[in-house]
Amino acid sequence: MNDCVIKLSDVCVFRDGKEILHGINLDIPQGRHTFILGPNGSGKTTFVKLLLGHLYPAYGGDVEILGRRFGESDIREMRRHIGAASPLLNEFGFTGTTVKDIILSGFDSSIGLFREPSDEEILIANQEMEKFSIRTLADRTYNTLSSGEQIRVLIARALINSPELLILDEPCVFLDPAGREKLLEELDVLSANNQNLTIIYITQRTEDITPLFQYGILLSQGKIFAEGKTEFLLDENKLSTVFQTPLQLVKGKNGRSWSICK
């Protein structure tokens, strides 16, 4: 449990000449389920793209994911060990692809299915669709689904290959309250059944942070504002500073906190 699944050293990321991430230093050991909380524009999406190898750090920064250092390793091979569910995957074009094929493509971490799947892979895909209540959508094309259905498809795709690292980027943003609670409960079960799995959960909502996530990062203006244990970070003063508005936390019976504007 001491091996780092994510190791970032002095990472800066530029896009279109603008620095989006600055001076990021971060070590996340195996099994430390971690949330990344920040407002729109804080750099969360760029952070996800970095972890998936779609962006590289500026000269002098080092990125190592699952023991594979950027610039020295095959990024495509690395992605086979990462499950990701993020709206940014829509940029690569799932339109017109069936739900079944999208989920099966998770075995190769490819955008599209480029080979005939085995009977065992089809069986696993059916099981994942059952788990997320999308079996009846198997032959529907992605662009005909609701936003909530789409995110469930992406999560099923992310999990199909038993990843070592699972990156969930705003997975509840399009889910209704019942769907959100079901997904968060499933994450608890997933963690309990996969001791080698590490979950990174990106969000802008404190209520998504369940007791599963005992460690986190507050991201603000492309920098790590604070990191540490959840009870240290979910603090009204810290959150008010990060979100640049006065916030009050309301504690729920389930160990979660809801943030409201004062």
Side-chain angles (χ1 to χ4, degrees), residues 76-77 79-82 100-110 112-113 115-128 156-162:
R76 293 170 300 177
E77 173 60 25
R79 291 189 190 123
R80 293 176 184 270
H81 302 275
I82 300 175
K100 179 176 62 178
D101 285 354
I102 289 172
I103 293 173
L104 285 166
S105 72
F107 281 111
D108 297 326
S109 193
S110 59
L113 189 61
R115 62 176 177 83
E116 193 69 27
S118 68
D119 291 341
E120 181 181 2
E121 288 173 333
I122 292 173
L123 176 62
I124 294 172
N126 288 337
Q127 291 171 343
E128 289 297 326
R157 176 185 181 272
L159 293 174
I160 199 169
N161 213 19
S162 301

mmCIF file of all heavy atoms in Angstrom, residues 76-77 79-82 100-110 112-113 115-128 156-162:
data_model
loop_
_atom_site.group_PDB
_atom_site.id
_atom_site.type_symbol
_atom_site.label_atom_id
_atom_site.label_comp_id
_atom_site.label_asym_id
_atom_site.label_seq_id
_atom_site.Cartn_x
_atom_site.Cartn_y
_atom_site.Cartn_z
ATOM 1 N N ARG A 76 -0.014 4.374 -24.084
ATOM 2 C CA ARG A 76 -1.156 3.533 -24.459
ATOM 3 C C ARG A 76 -1.252 2.317 -23.558
ATOM 4 O O ARG A 76 -2.354 1.901 -23.171
ATOM 5 C CB ARG A 76 -1.033 3.102 -25.913
ATOM 6 C CG ARG A 76 -1.168 4.245 -26.929
ATOM 7 C CD ARG A 76 -0.806 3.792 -28.311
ATOM 8 N NE ARG A 76 0.574 3.310 -28.380
ATOM 9 C CZ ARG A 76 1.140 2.801 -29.458
ATOM 10 N NH1 ARG A 76 0.444 2.691 -30.574
ATOM 11 N NH2 ARG A 76 2.402 2.402 -29.441
ATOM 12 N N GLU A 77 -0.117 1.739 -23.207
ATOM 13 C CA GLU A 77 -0.107 0.596 -22.295
ATOM 14 C C GLU A 77 -0.533 1.031 -20.899
ATOM 15 O O GLU A 77 -1.266 0.317 -20.210
ATOM 16 C CB GLU A 77 1.295 -0.026 -22.256
ATOM 17 C CG GLU A 77 1.478 -1.121 -21.223
ATOM 18 C CD GLU A 77 0.538 -2.310 -21.427
ATOM 19 O OE1 GLU A 77 0.082 -2.550 -22.564
ATOM 20 O OE2 GLU A 77 0.253 -2.998 -20.418
ATOM 21 N N ARG A 79 -2.629 3.353 -20.133
ATOM 22 C CA ARG A 79 -4.070 3.592 -20.092
ATOM 23 C C ARG A 79 -4.872 2.303 -19.934
ATOM 24 O O ARG A 79 -6.023 2.338 -19.492
ATOM 25 C CB ARG A 79 -4.520 4.326 -21.361
ATOM 26 C CG ARG A 79 -4.019 5.761 -21.459
ATOM 27 C CD ARG A 79 -4.676 6.490 -22.605
ATOM 28 N NE ARG A 79 -4.043 7.790 -22.852
ATOM 29 C CZ ARG A 79 -3.523 8.152 -24.001
ATOM 30 N NH1 ARG A 79 -3.552 7.328 -25.047
ATOM 31 N NH2 ARG A 79 -2.967 9.350 -24.140
ATOM 32 N N ARG A 80 -4.290 1.164 -20.297
ATOM 33 C CA ARG A 80 -4.986 -0.112 -20.130
ATOM 34 C C ARG A 80 -5.211 -0.452 -18.659
ATOM 35 O O ARG A 80 -6.038 -1.299 -18.333
ATOM 36 C CB ARG A 80 -4.200 -1.244 -20.805
ATOM 37 C CG ARG A 80 -4.127 -1.154 -22.325
ATOM 38 C CD ARG A 80 -3.251 -2.257 -22.885
ATOM 39 N NE ARG A 80 -3.082 -2.135 -24.330
ATOM 40 C CZ ARG A 80 -3.892 -2.706 -25.227
ATOM 41 N NH1 ARG A 80 -4.918 -3.433 -24.808
ATOM 42 N NH2 ARG A 80 -3.674 -2.555 -26.513
ATOM 43 N N HIS A 81 -4.475 0.196 -17.791
ATOM 44 C CA HIS A 81 -4.569 -0.077 -16.351
ATOM 45 C C HIS A 81 -5.333 1.018 -15.615
ATOM 46 O O HIS A 81 -5.393 1.022 -14.391
ATOM 47 C CB HIS A 81 -3.160 -0.218 -15.761
ATOM 48 C CG HIS A 81 -2.345 -1.298 -16.416
ATOM 49 N ND1 HIS A 81 -2.431 -2.624 -16.025
ATOM 50 C CD2 HIS A 81 -1.472 -1.249 -17.454
ATOM 51 C CE1 HIS A 81 -1.613 -3.345 -16.783
ATOM 52 N NE2 HIS A 81 -1.030 -2.542 -17.660
ATOM 53 N N ILE A 82 -5.889 1.955 -16.400
ATOM 54 C CA ILE A 82 -6.640 3.065 -15.827
ATOM 55 C C ILE A 82 -8.069 3.023 -16.339
ATOM 56 O O ILE A 82 -8.301 2.880 -17.544
ATOM 57 C CB ILE A 82 -6.004 4.422 -16.204
ATOM 58 C CG1 ILE A 82 -4.564 4.506 -15.679
ATOM 59 C CG2 ILE A 82 -6.833 5.580 -15.653
ATOM 60 C CD1 ILE A 82 -3.853 5.755 -16.128
ATOM 61 N N LYS A 100 -23.104 -1.139 -26.134
ATOM 62 C CA LYS A 100 -22.353 -2.395 -25.978
ATOM 63 C C LYS A 100 -20.927 -2.252 -26.484
ATOM 64 O O LYS A 100 -19.972 -2.678 -25.814
ATOM 65 C CB LYS A 100 -23.075 -3.519 -26.734
ATOM 66 C CG LYS A 100 -22.370 -4.871 -26.670
ATOM 67 C CD LYS A 100 -23.203 -5.939 -27.363
ATOM 68 C CE LYS A 100 -23.380 -5.614 -28.846
ATOM 69 N NZ LYS A 100 -24.149 -6.668 -29.561
ATOM 70 N N ASP A 101 -20.750 -1.625 -27.641
ATOM 71 C CA ASP A 101 -19.407 -1.476 -28.211
ATOM 72 C C ASP A 101 -18.552 -0.495 -27.410
ATOM 73 O O ASP A 101 -17.335 -0.679 -27.288
ATOM 74 C CB ASP A 101 -19.500 -1.030 -29.668
ATOM 75 C CG ASP A 101 -19.921 -2.157 -30.604
ATOM 76 O OD1 ASP A 101 -20.033 -3.309 -30.120
ATOM 77 O OD2 ASP A 101 -20.137 -1.886 -31.796
ATOM 78 N N ILE A 102 -19.176 0.541 -26.876
ATOM 79 C CA ILE A 102 -18.428 1.493 -26.051
ATOM 80 C C ILE A 102 -17.874 0.791 -24.821
ATOM 81 O O ILE A 102 -16.697 0.953 -24.457
ATOM 82 C CB ILE A 102 -19.329 2.671 -25.644
ATOM 83 C CG1 ILE A 102 -19.621 3.566 -26.850
ATOM 84 C CG2 ILE A 102 -18.668 3.490 -24.525
ATOM 85 C CD1 ILE A 102 -20.643 4.639 -26.584
ATOM 86 N N ILE A 103 -18.707 -0.006 -24.181
ATOM 87 C CA ILE A 103 -18.262 -0.701 -22.968
ATOM 88 C C ILE A 103 -17.191 -1.725 -23.301
ATOM 89 O O ILE A 103 -16.170 -1.831 -22.603
ATOM 90 C CB ILE A 103 -19.470 -1.348 -22.261
ATOM 91 C CG1 ILE A 103 -20.383 -0.234 -21.726
ATOM 92 C CG2 ILE A 103 -19.018 -2.269 -21.137
ATOM 93 C CD1 ILE A 103 -21.677 -0.710 -21.159
ATOM 94 N N LEU A 104 -17.355 -2.466 -24.385
ATOM 95 C CA LEU A 104 -16.348 -3.451 -24.784
ATOM 96 C C LEU A 104 -15.021 -2.791 -25.148
ATOM 97 O O LEU A 104 -13.955 -3.383 -24.956
ATOM 98 C CB LEU A 104 -16.864 -4.272 -25.966
ATOM 99 C CG LEU A 104 -17.916 -5.325 -25.627
ATOM 100 C CD1 LEU A 104 -18.598 -5.844 -26.897
ATOM 101 C CD2 LEU A 104 -17.282 -6.498 -24.865
ATOM 102 N N SER A 105 -15.070 -1.561 -25.648
ATOM 103 C CA SER A 105 -13.825 -0.867 -26.006
ATOM 104 C C SER A 105 -12.961 -0.591 -24.788
ATOM 105 O O SER A 105 -11.764 -0.324 -24.912
ATOM 106 C CB SER A 105 -14.135 0.445 -26.736
ATOM 107 O OG SER A 105 -14.653 1.428 -25.844
ATOM 108 N N GLY A 106 -13.573 -0.675 -23.593
ATOM 109 C CA GLY A 106 -12.806 -0.459 -22.373
ATOM 110 C C GLY A 106 -11.722 -1.493 -22.158
ATOM 111 O O GLY A 106 -10.726 -1.222 -21.480
ATOM 112 N N PHE A 107 -11.863 -2.681 -22.743
ATOM 113 C CA PHE A 107 -10.827 -3.703 -22.594
ATOM 114 C C PHE A 107 -9.507 -3.252 -23.210
ATOM 115 O O PHE A 107 -8.432 -3.603 -22.725
ATOM 116 C CB PHE A 107 -11.275 -5.017 -23.248
ATOM 117 C CG PHE A 107 -12.234 -5.809 -22.418
ATOM 118 C CD1 PHE A 107 -13.561 -5.961 -22.816
ATOM 119 C CD2 PHE A 107 -11.825 -6.412 -21.243
ATOM 120 C CE1 PHE A 107 -14.452 -6.696 -22.058
ATOM 121 C CE2 PHE A 107 -12.715 -7.147 -20.468
ATOM 122 C CZ PHE A 107 -14.032 -7.291 -20.880
ATOM 123 N N ASP A 108 -9.581 -2.480 -24.297
ATOM 124 C CA ASP A 108 -8.373 -2.005 -24.976
ATOM 125 C C ASP A 108 -8.105 -0.529 -24.710
ATOM 126 O O ASP A 108 -7.143 0.034 -25.243
ATOM 127 C CB ASP A 108 -8.492 -2.225 -26.487
ATOM 128 C CG ASP A 108 -8.606 -3.697 -26.848
ATOM 129 O OD1 ASP A 108 -7.987 -4.519 -26.155
ATOM 130 O OD2 ASP A 108 -9.331 -4.012 -27.812
ATOM 131 N N SER A 109 -8.965 0.098 -23.893
ATOM 132 C CA SER A 109 -8.866 1.536 -23.632
ATOM 133 C C SER A 109 -8.809 2.321 -24.936
ATOM 134 O O SER A 109 -8.048 3.273 -25.094
ATOM 135 C CB SER A 109 -7.613 1.839 -22.788
ATOM 136 O OG SER A 109 -7.672 3.156 -22.289
ATOM 137 N N SER A 110 -9.640 1.903 -25.879
ATOM 138 C CA SER A 110 -9.668 2.545 -27.191
ATOM 139 C C SER A 110 -10.985 3.301 -27.367
ATOM 140 O O SER A 110 -11.966 3.033 -26.680
ATOM 141 C CB SER A 110 -9.524 1.499 -28.302
ATOM 142 O OG SER A 110 -10.570 0.542 -28.225
ATOM 143 N N GLY A 112 -13.613 3.349 -29.648
ATOM 144 C CA GLY A 112 -14.128 2.521 -30.730
ATOM 145 C C GLY A 112 -13.673 1.081 -30.550
ATOM 146 O O GLY A 112 -12.668 0.802 -29.889
ATOM 147 N N LEU A 113 -14.432 0.166 -31.122
ATOM 148 C CA LEU A 113 -14.131 -1.263 -31.029
ATOM 149 C C LEU A 113 -13.532 -1.710 -32.356
ATOM 150 O O LEU A 113 -14.184 -1.637 -33.400
ATOM 151 C CB LEU A 113 -15.426 -2.039 -30.719
ATOM 152 C CG LEU A 113 -15.271 -3.514 -30.378
ATOM 153 C CD1 LEU A 113 -14.429 -3.708 -29.125
ATOM 154 C CD2 LEU A 113 -16.652 -4.142 -30.180
ATOM 155 N N ARG A 115 -11.864 -4.796 -32.930
ATOM 156 C CA ARG A 115 -11.650 -6.232 -33.050
ATOM 157 C C ARG A 115 -12.899 -6.959 -32.565
ATOM 158 O O ARG A 115 -13.780 -6.362 -31.937
ATOM 159 C CB ARG A 115 -10.438 -6.674 -32.231
ATOM 160 C CG ARG A 115 -10.577 -6.419 -30.730
ATOM 161 C CD ARG A 115 -9.401 -6.961 -29.950
ATOM 162 N NE ARG A 115 -9.488 -6.663 -28.529
ATOM 163 C CZ ARG A 115 -10.184 -7.372 -27.649
ATOM 164 N NH1 ARG A 115 -10.891 -8.436 -28.051
ATOM 165 N NH2 ARG A 115 -10.204 -7.037 -26.382
ATOM 166 N N GLU A 116 -12.957 -8.235 -32.866
ATOM 167 C CA GLU A 116 -14.094 -9.052 -32.427
ATOM 168 C C GLU A 116 -13.880 -9.453 -30.972
ATOM 169 O O GLU A 116 -12.870 -10.076 -30.634
ATOM 170 C CB GLU A 116 -14.205 -10.299 -33.305
ATOM 171 C CG GLU A 116 -15.509 -11.060 -33.147
ATOM 172 C CD GLU A 116 -16.702 -10.296 -33.702
ATOM 173 O OE1 GLU A 116 -16.510 -9.479 -34.628
ATOM 174 O OE2 GLU A 116 -17.829 -10.516 -33.201
ATOM 175 N N PRO A 117 -14.791 -9.093 -30.078
ATOM 176 C CA PRO A 117 -14.607 -9.453 -28.668
ATOM 177 C C PRO A 117 -14.833 -10.947 -28.451
ATOM 178 O O PRO A 117 -15.561 -11.605 -29.200
ATOM 179 C CB PRO A 117 -15.670 -8.621 -27.959
ATOM 180 C CG PRO A 117 -16.743 -8.422 -28.992
ATOM 181 C CD PRO A 117 -16.015 -8.304 -30.305
ATOM 182 N N SER A 118 -14.208 -11.470 -27.412
ATOM 183 C CA SER A 118 -14.378 -12.882 -27.072
ATOM 184 C C SER A 118 -15.709 -13.083 -26.355
ATOM 185 O O SER A 118 -16.340 -12.126 -25.877
ATOM 186 C CB SER A 118 -13.233 -13.341 -26.170
ATOM 187 O OG SER A 118 -13.328 -12.707 -24.894
ATOM 188 N N ASP A 119 -16.131 -14.337 -26.264
ATOM 189 C CA ASP A 119 -17.367 -14.651 -25.549
ATOM 190 C C ASP A 119 -17.266 -14.237 -24.080
ATOM 191 O O ASP A 119 -18.238 -13.752 -23.491
ATOM 192 C CB ASP A 119 -17.670 -16.151 -25.642
ATOM 193 C CG ASP A 119 -18.056 -16.581 -27.052
ATOM 194 O OD1 ASP A 119 -18.440 -15.697 -27.861
ATOM 195 O OD2 ASP A 119 -17.968 -17.796 -27.345
ATOM 196 N N GLU A 120 -16.080 -14.423 -23.496
ATOM 197 C CA GLU A 120 -15.884 -14.046 -22.094
ATOM 198 C C GLU A 120 -16.005 -12.535 -21.916
ATOM 199 O O GLU A 120 -16.617 -12.062 -20.943
ATOM 200 C CB GLU A 120 -14.515 -14.511 -21.607
ATOM 201 C CG GLU A 120 -14.247 -14.177 -20.145
ATOM 202 C CD GLU A 120 -12.871 -14.616 -19.687
ATOM 203 O OE1 GLU A 120 -12.103 -15.141 -20.516
ATOM 204 O OE2 GLU A 120 -12.562 -14.422 -18.493
ATOM 205 N N GLU A 121 -15.453 -11.775 -22.855
ATOM 206 C CA GLU A 121 -15.545 -10.317 -22.768
ATOM 207 C C GLU A 121 -16.989 -9.854 -22.914
ATOM 208 O O GLU A 121 -17.428 -8.921 -22.215
ATOM 209 C CB GLU A 121 -14.662 -9.685 -23.848
ATOM 210 C CG GLU A 121 -13.172 -9.809 -23.553
ATOM 211 C CD GLU A 121 -12.299 -9.340 -24.702
ATOM 212 O OE1 GLU A 121 -12.759 -9.403 -25.875
ATOM 213 O OE2 GLU A 121 -11.154 -8.922 -24.453
ATOM 214 N N ILE A 122 -17.737 -10.479 -23.784
ATOM 215 C CA ILE A 122 -19.155 -10.124 -23.948
ATOM 216 C C ILE A 122 -19.925 -10.419 -22.669
ATOM 217 O O ILE A 122 -20.780 -9.630 -22.231
ATOM 218 C CB ILE A 122 -19.762 -10.882 -25.140
ATOM 219 C CG1 ILE A 122 -19.139 -10.371 -26.447
ATOM 220 C CG2 ILE A 122 -21.276 -10.717 -25.171
ATOM 221 C CD1 ILE A 122 -19.537 -11.165 -27.669
ATOM 222 N N LEU A 123 -19.602 -11.543 -22.032
ATOM 223 C CA LEU A 123 -20.261 -11.901 -20.772
ATOM 224 C C LEU A 123 -19.965 -10.852 -19.695
ATOM 225 O O LEU A 123 -20.880 -10.417 -18.980
ATOM 226 C CB LEU A 123 -19.782 -13.277 -20.313
ATOM 227 C CG LEU A 123 -20.311 -13.750 -18.940
ATOM 228 C CD1 LEU A 123 -21.831 -13.875 -18.966
ATOM 229 C CD2 LEU A 123 -19.664 -15.078 -18.560
ATOM 230 N N ILE A 124 -18.717 -10.437 -19.596
ATOM 231 C CA ILE A 124 -18.338 -9.428 -18.604
ATOM 232 C C ILE A 124 -19.033 -8.106 -18.898
ATOM 233 O O ILE A 124 -19.523 -7.427 -17.980
ATOM 234 C CB ILE A 124 -16.807 -9.252 -18.584
ATOM 235 C CG1 ILE A 124 -16.133 -10.534 -18.092
ATOM 236 C CG2 ILE A 124 -16.413 -8.075 -17.687
ATOM 237 C CD1 ILE A 124 -14.630 -10.526 -18.214
ATOM 238 N N ALA A 125 -19.101 -7.742 -20.178
ATOM 239 C CA ALA A 125 -19.781 -6.503 -20.551
ATOM 240 C C ALA A 125 -21.253 -6.544 -20.166
ATOM 241 O O ALA A 125 -21.804 -5.562 -19.648
ATOM 242 C CB ALA A 125 -19.632 -6.265 -22.052
ATOM 243 N N ASN A 126 -21.892 -7.682 -20.378
ATOM 244 C CA ASN A 126 -23.297 -7.830 -19.988
ATOM 245 C C ASN A 126 -23.465 -7.695 -18.478
ATOM 246 O O ASN A 126 -24.434 -7.080 -17.994
ATOM 247 C CB ASN A 126 -23.835 -9.184 -20.459
ATOM 248 C CG ASN A 126 -24.033 -9.241 -21.963
ATOM 249 O OD1 ASN A 126 -24.190 -8.202 -22.622
ATOM 250 N ND2 ASN A 126 -24.021 -10.438 -22.528
ATOM 251 N N GLN A 127 -22.515 -8.242 -17.728
ATOM 252 C CA GLN A 127 -22.580 -8.145 -16.273
ATOM 253 C C GLN A 127 -22.427 -6.698 -15.808
ATOM 254 O O GLN A 127 -23.123 -6.257 -14.883
ATOM 255 C CB GLN A 127 -21.495 -9.027 -15.647
ATOM 256 C CG GLN A 127 -21.744 -10.517 -15.826
ATOM 257 C CD GLN A 127 -20.554 -11.366 -15.404
ATOM 258 O OE1 GLN A 127 -19.422 -10.876 -15.267
ATOM 259 N NE2 GLN A 127 -20.790 -12.654 -15.183
ATOM 260 N N GLU A 128 -21.522 -5.965 -16.450
ATOM 261 C CA GLU A 128 -21.347 -4.557 -16.093
ATOM 262 C C GLU A 128 -22.595 -3.748 -16.434
ATOM 263 O O GLU A 128 -22.991 -2.859 -15.679
ATOM 264 C CB GLU A 128 -20.121 -3.970 -16.808
ATOM 265 C CG GLU A 128 -18.791 -4.469 -16.301
ATOM 266 C CD GLU A 128 -18.527 -4.087 -14.853
ATOM 267 O OE1 GLU A 128 -18.959 -3.001 -14.426
ATOM 268 O OE2 GLU A 128 -17.904 -4.890 -14.135
ATOM 269 N N ALA A 156 -19.305 2.126 -16.542
ATOM 270 C CA ALA A 156 -19.226 0.694 -16.841
ATOM 271 C C ALA A 156 -18.018 0.391 -17.716
ATOM 272 O O ALA A 156 -17.308 -0.597 -17.517
ATOM 273 C CB ALA A 156 -20.518 0.226 -17.517
ATOM 274 N N ARG A 157 -17.772 1.238 -18.714
ATOM 275 C CA ARG A 157 -16.598 1.085 -19.578
ATOM 276 C C ARG A 157 -15.315 1.187 -18.769
ATOM 277 O O ARG A 157 -14.348 0.440 -18.990
ATOM 278 C CB ARG A 157 -16.616 2.154 -20.663
ATOM 279 C CG ARG A 157 -15.382 2.171 -21.574
ATOM 280 C CD ARG A 157 -15.455 3.348 -22.541
ATOM 281 N NE ARG A 157 -14.302 3.372 -23.447
ATOM 282 C CZ ARG A 157 -13.153 3.983 -23.169
ATOM 283 N NH1 ARG A 157 -13.006 4.623 -22.008
ATOM 284 N NH2 ARG A 157 -12.155 3.952 -24.029
ATOM 285 N N ALA A 158 -15.287 2.123 -17.818
ATOM 286 C CA ALA A 158 -14.082 2.348 -17.021
ATOM 287 C C ALA A 158 -13.731 1.158 -16.144
ATOM 288 O O ALA A 158 -12.558 0.897 -15.875
ATOM 289 C CB ALA A 158 -14.280 3.592 -16.151
ATOM 290 N N LEU A 159 -14.741 0.409 -15.718
ATOM 291 C CA LEU A 159 -14.518 -0.668 -14.757
ATOM 292 C C LEU A 159 -14.323 -2.033 -15.395
ATOM 293 O O LEU A 159 -13.920 -2.990 -14.718
ATOM 294 C CB LEU A 159 -15.692 -0.739 -13.786
ATOM 295 C CG LEU A 159 -15.842 0.461 -12.846
ATOM 296 C CD1 LEU A 159 -17.125 0.334 -12.039
ATOM 297 C CD2 LEU A 159 -14.645 0.563 -11.923
ATOM 298 N N ILE A 160 -14.593 -2.140 -16.687
ATOM 299 C CA ILE A 160 -14.661 -3.458 -17.309
ATOM 300 C C ILE A 160 -13.321 -4.190 -17.298
ATOM 301 O O ILE A 160 -13.266 -5.411 -17.305
ATOM 302 C CB ILE A 160 -15.209 -3.348 -18.748
ATOM 303 C CG1 ILE A 160 -15.710 -4.707 -19.222
ATOM 304 C CG2 ILE A 160 -14.163 -2.755 -19.693
ATOM 305 C CD1 ILE A 160 -16.492 -4.661 -20.503
ATOM 306 N N ASN A 161 -12.235 -3.452 -17.237
ATOM 307 C CA ASN A 161 -10.907 -4.071 -17.340
ATOM 308 C C ASN A 161 -10.215 -4.192 -15.982
ATOM 309 O O ASN A 161 -8.994 -4.356 -15.924
ATOM 310 C CB ASN A 161 -10.014 -3.272 -18.296
ATOM 311 C CG ASN A 161 -9.040 -4.166 -19.040
ATOM 312 O OD1 ASN A 161 -9.230 -5.367 -19.138
ATOM 313 N ND2 ASN A 161 -7.977 -3.575 -19.555
ATOM 314 N N SER A 162 -11.006 -4.114 -14.888
ATOM 315 C CA SER A 162 -10.459 -4.219 -13.529
ATOM 316 C C SER A 162 -9.236 -3.319 -13.354
ATOM 317 O O SER A 162 -8.117 -3.789 -13.103
ATOM 318 C CB SER A 162 -10.098 -5.675 -13.204
ATOM 319 O OG SER A 162 -11.220 -6.510 -13.306
#
